[in-house]
Amino acid sequence: MKHAISLRVNGILQRLEVEPHHSLLDVLERHCGVRRRETCGIGMCGTCTVLVDGKAMSSCLVLAPLAGGTEVLTIEGLARNGRLDIVQEAFIDEMGFQCGYCTPGMVLAAHSLLRESPAPTTEEIRHYLAGNLCRCGSYEKILAAVHTAARRLAAQSTEVKKK
Amino acid sequence: MIDDRQRVTGQISYVQDLALPSMLIGKILRSPYPHARLLRIETRAAEALRGVAAVLTRNDLLNSPHIDPIYGPQIKDQPVLALDRVRFVGEPVAAVAAEDAETAALALQSIEVDYEELPAVFDPVRAAEEKAPHVHEILHQVRLGTSAYFGLRPVAGTNICHHYRLRQGDLEEGFARADLVVEATFRTPAAQHVAMEPHAVLAAFQEGGKLLVYSPTQSPFNLRDLLAEMFHLPPDRVQVLVPTLGGSYGCKLFPRVEPIAAALAWQAGRPVKIVLDRPEEFVTLNRHPAVITIRLGVTHAGSILAKKVTAYWDTGAYADCGPGVAQKGGFSSVGPYRIPHVQVDSYCVYTNLPPNGAYRGYAVTQVAWASEAMMDEAALALGLDPLEFRLKNILRDGDQFATGEILRDVHFEECLKTAARQIDWQGTGFERTATAEGRLRGKGLSVILKGMTTPSRSEALIEIDEEGVVTLHTASVEIGQGVRTALSQIAALFLGLPYASIRVPDVDTSLTPFDTRTSSSRSTDIMGRAVGLAAQDLRRQLLEIAAPRLKASPQDLTLAGGLIHVVEAPARRLSLQEVVRQAGRGTLKGRGEFANTGGLDPETGRGIASSYWHQSAAGVEVEVDPETGQVWIVGCHAAVNAGRVVNRIAAELQTEGCIVMGLGSALFEEVCFDAGQVINPNLSDYMIPSFLDIPPKLGFTLLEQPGAHPHGLGETALPVIPAAVGNAVADAMGVRIRDLPITPEKVLRALKAPPTGEAGAEEEEP
């Protein structure tokens, strides 16, 4: 028995009929044109991380019917008009990736962290991102990327305040 | 990285993102038994389901003259689907192609299979005995060619599919003259690569009987050739396309899921895509478990006289590249040392476990675990500093290795001294007092050598068209190691261009020139040379065309910033685009090819094992909690010989990645089996390192020498890590653990055990 839900994905309103046993990961792939990034299927790896109302969540663990009424942001929705956002730029500048498979989830989780804690310590970053696995082992450079993003976001908001 | 923007925006496509019109989804039915006769398979119910386009079983494979259903990169022993029997839990027995994944899964459930169980064997030492159940009834056809470059030596009447032998000097004499002989046995478990991207493949038969395969494979040409043979096609009727890989570390080397997908596509007459789920990954390809016994004969003064190695490699139910692993592990077990009397017997053995194959570090992790532990044990027994003991015997430039080859461009001493210095090694004077919290402190060192695929061959093609667009055609596969960026940097050097302006299209075996494969950290080196030669060829052509137009001779010209100009008078210049247009020959092409040569005599195991030897050392400092058994890595430093670094950030990332992966192997990674079944096939029960496992001090040094050639290092810093951790833990506890991984349970058992100096082998580890 399908459920009718409506949710916003990357700013676009979606009205969908979803299976009760499907996950948000399934919905995003089947109905919203989002590339499926799934490594473990049980919420342990963070590869499928998306932002649900601004908070990082493993989309494989969110039941589709419960995603109704939410605002979902995936990696496809971060860049605006072809311009990368500050976190994405920082990941490029610090080369915080190798194969790139964990990168969408990692970037989004970093977003969620910086929203909650704009000036995180290394320890805070390690604990917040502990659920985002990177088998290529890019952890040191991902740390650097998050620090750089935090610094740039702080500088940007200082700029805004000055104005 | 040249496509870094796509990686952070999610725009990069992996095979699972691809689709073809009328594509079906494929799923695999797998054996629940480790060894059984396949009696009956009933598929009519599955075939009748709405949405099911094809069901494939052995009947389809055996009844078709168009398919040769058995393949294998070194021994042709693996069927696309089980034919007369199943040989491991998880072996593919049937496959379904349907309109969607749910329908395919439902169809699998309605397939009935009857089995008759047979005795099974799960340990390589037991499996090597003559009385063990035979995993394969007949010895299969050996495959020669680009994948196997040695003579296979199976032992008839046993499960031993290859016996690599190495002999140097006179072992008995060596031990007779030794003042001290030490011996111990070490074990390493199966490990899983856990590439974040699962295995995926999209296969389709096209008009005119051409087979198209999209696969994240590290060996596109090998895959092409094996599929061509399987479907009785000439190789140029099989096209393998390789987008970027989401990690591999060896698990996507050689045919994996492609044969099943292609056979389903053939059966269904439509394209078929298969994407494995995580539990399936654990029964597809793992790292070879090994049981290695080393006997070392040394003098009081600390010279190693004799070394005897007996190694058993559990290759699982199908050999894959197990013979190569047994060979490489065999000669690598000698270690980077001068030893006059050597005997190595390295056995590749079938068992009823999932197949084992290439894994980053390729057998050296296992042999280093054993060999570098023995170095410390011998040093301890002699009362010598483990560092001094190693340095006394270490191979230097011009020394002869046990295979008989003379080593050049070796820097083991510098690697080892660097690692030791970085962890502030103080030898036997290290103050082994407990920390304030009561933790035991220890330090450990290790040094390794690892071979590179020898012989092998790489070709490259660089084109520049009339728009001035430069394209590099190389079959080196992007796994995340940044190889395509590094190669474009090499080309850019000769062509005076920004490397990001060079296009590097994905591998397409119908267009891209030949490369043996992307493995054994050979690409920056061997393909790098081919790319350099191709770039120089193109450069020469460009200069020859430009010279008369600039009223100069070619040697007066140079390339820089996309232009060719006279060195003495830069204002006299042409753009590359102008040069190509004025040549009037269309697109200009530069070609380069490089092959490294060598090989080992099958009788003696001697010859040229490797044209270049990867070299690294590690120093690790640990604290061991005697109450919980937890091992804390306080500091870890790897020293890797790089020669000349092409792309520094990529080299750093690869080295850090190796260290992290090595820590996982050292402390917690183990594929666990119970009666042949994987009991931890998920990322909750099989853990890989996370942010919380990174040590507070993680460092590395990339050694470079002026004028040196770039050397690969995608694996080099991995095998040294478990060995160094093992040595540090033994140093801390005063007792040695001989089985990887070093779990808290093993630490506690070792600390409570009577002080015999042996903490070793567990009886039947679950």
Side-chain angles (χ1 to χ4, degrees), chain A residues 21-22 30 35-40 42 44-45 47 75-76 79 82-84 88 91-95 97-104 106-107 126-127 129-130 132-143, chain B residues 1 4-5 7-14 16-17 102 192-198 245-247 249 278 359 479-480 649 652-654 656-657 660-661 669 682-684 686-694 698:
Chain A
H21 64 282
H22 279 180
R30 284 156 206 252
R35 286 179 164 95
R36 189 182 192 91
R37 292 290 171 262
E38 179 183 20
T39 290
C40 75
I42 56 173
M44 289 296 299
C45 69
T47 301
I75 193 73
E76 288 86 350
R83 278 195 64 205
L84 299 180
Q88 287 170 311
F91 267 76
I92 290 184
D93 292 343
E94 301 293 345
M95 265 289 278
F97 49 83
Q98 291 177 67
C99 83
Y101 203 81
C102 76
T103 307
M106 196 70 76
V107 167
R126 278 161 25 96
H127 277 89
L129 296 181
N132 286 78
L133 300 176
C134 171
R135 188 48 155 169
C136 292
S138 309
Y139 296 119
E140 296 280 292
K141 303 230 185 309
I142 294 170
L143 275 173
Chain B
M1 221 165 171
D4 49 13
R5 209 190 152 84
R7 283 166 202 265
V8 301
T9 54
Q11 296 306 309
I12 203 141
S13 287
Y14 302 92
Q16 67 183 119
D17 301 322
E102 276 96 348
Q192 227 303 297
H193 312 68
V194 189
M196 304 298 276
E197 175 210 16
L245 275 63
Y249 327 107
R278 189 51 52 177
Y359 186 104
I479 312 170
I649 284 206
E652 291 175 1
L653 282 165
Q654 283 285 289
E656 285 164 359
V660 171
M661 204 175 257
E669 290 191 43
N682 61 70
L683 297 194
S684 178
Y686 183 99
M687 306 204 71
I688 66 172
S690 76
F691 270 101
L692 298 179
D693 298 300
I694 308 306
L698 189 161

Side-chain angles (χ1 to χ4, degrees), chain B residues 100-362:
Chain B
D100 54 64
E102 276 96 348
T103 307
L106 208 62
L108 290 185
Q109 286 174 31
S110 55
I111 298 175
E112 290 170 22
V113 189
D114 291 337
Y115 300 90
E116 182 193 317
E117 278 197 84
L118 294 168
V121 63
F122 306 119
D123 171 85
V125 178
R126 294 213 187 101
E129 295 167 10
E130 279 194 25
K131 59 181 197 259
H134 286 185
V135 179
H136 290 269
E137 285 295 314
I138 51 165
L139 288 173
H140 289 273
Q141 183 190 329
V142 174
R143 169 171 302 287
L144 300 173
T146 58
S147 302
Y149 37 86
F150 49 77
L152 207 75
R153 303 168 62 93
V155 178
T158 71
N159 287 309
I160 299 171
C161 61
H162 182 49
H163 172 200
Y164 171 76
R165 307 167 70 239
L166 177 62
R167 304 283 185 266
Q168 170 166 278
D170 181 335
L171 195 73
E172 290 313 310
E173 188 199 317
F175 281 124
R177 294 205 285 118
D179 297 320
L180 182 74
V181 176
V182 286
E183 178 170 328
T185 298
F186 300 82
R187 284 179 166 77
T188 55
Q192 227 303 297
H193 312 68
V194 189
M196 304 298 276
E197 175 210 16
H199 283 89
V201 56
L202 173 53
F205 277 88
Q206 301 179 306
E207 303 263 327
K210 189 170 167 175
L211 172 59
L212 170 69
V213 175
Y214 288 91
S215 171
T217 178
Q218 290 179 240
S219 49
F221 284 94
N222 169 269
L223 178 64
R224 177 198 71 173
D225 292 347
L226 292 193
L227 288 174
E229 193 178 313
M230 180 177 292
F231 290 96
H232 302 303
L233 294 168
D236 63 0
R237 304 300 290 160
V238 176
Q239 184 181 9
V240 175
L241 295 115
V242 187
T244 201
L245 275 63
S248 176
Y249 327 107
C251 73
K252 294 164 184 161
L253 187 68
F254 300 131
R256 206 67 41 226
V257 190
E258 302 89 347
I260 294 182
L264 265 178
W266 168 82
Q267 177 93 329
R270 287 163 64 176
V272 171
K273 178 158 77 174
I274 298 181
V275 181
L276 296 188
D277 61 32
R278 189 51 52 177
E280 289 182 289
E281 292 286 333
F282 282 82
V283 295
T284 296
L285 196 79
N286 294 317
R287 185 186 73 189
H288 283 77
V291 181
I292 301 173
T293 302
I294 297 187
R295 178 191 271 196
L296 211 57
V298 295
T299 67
H300 284 312
S303 288
I304 307 175
L305 293 186
K307 185 167 188 176
K308 180 177 184 213
V309 179
T310 311
Y312 291 88
W313 303 87
D314 178 344
T315 201
Y318 298 103
D320 196 79
C321 61
V325 169
Q327 173 174 300
K328 282 199 155 144
F331 58 68
S332 303
S333 71
V334 179
Y337 304 109
R338 278 185 315 278
I339 307 178
H341 308 285
V342 169
Q343 178 177 308
V344 175
D345 289 286
S346 187
Y347 301 100
C348 182
V349 190
Y350 286 124
T351 65
N352 292 110
L353 292 177
N356 297 305
Y359 186 104
R360 199 179 197 178
Y362 212 79

Side-chain angles (χ1 to χ4, degrees), chain B residues 607-664:
Chain B
I608 308 271
S610 190
S611 59
Y612 167 75
W613 291 89
H614 299 303
Q615 306 141 46
S616 68
V620 171
E621 183 175 354
V622 301
E623 286 174 8
V624 180
D625 187 327
E627 291 192 22
T628 64
Q630 178 134 20
V631 173
W632 301 97
I633 309 288
V634 170
C636 173
H637 195 98
V640 175
N641 188 53
R644 179 158 64 92
V645 176
V646 176
N647 185 315
R648 187 153 301 274
I649 284 206
E652 291 175 1
L653 282 165
Q654 283 285 289
T655 303
E656 285 164 359
C658 278
I659 295 172
V660 171
M661 204 175 257
L663 289 174

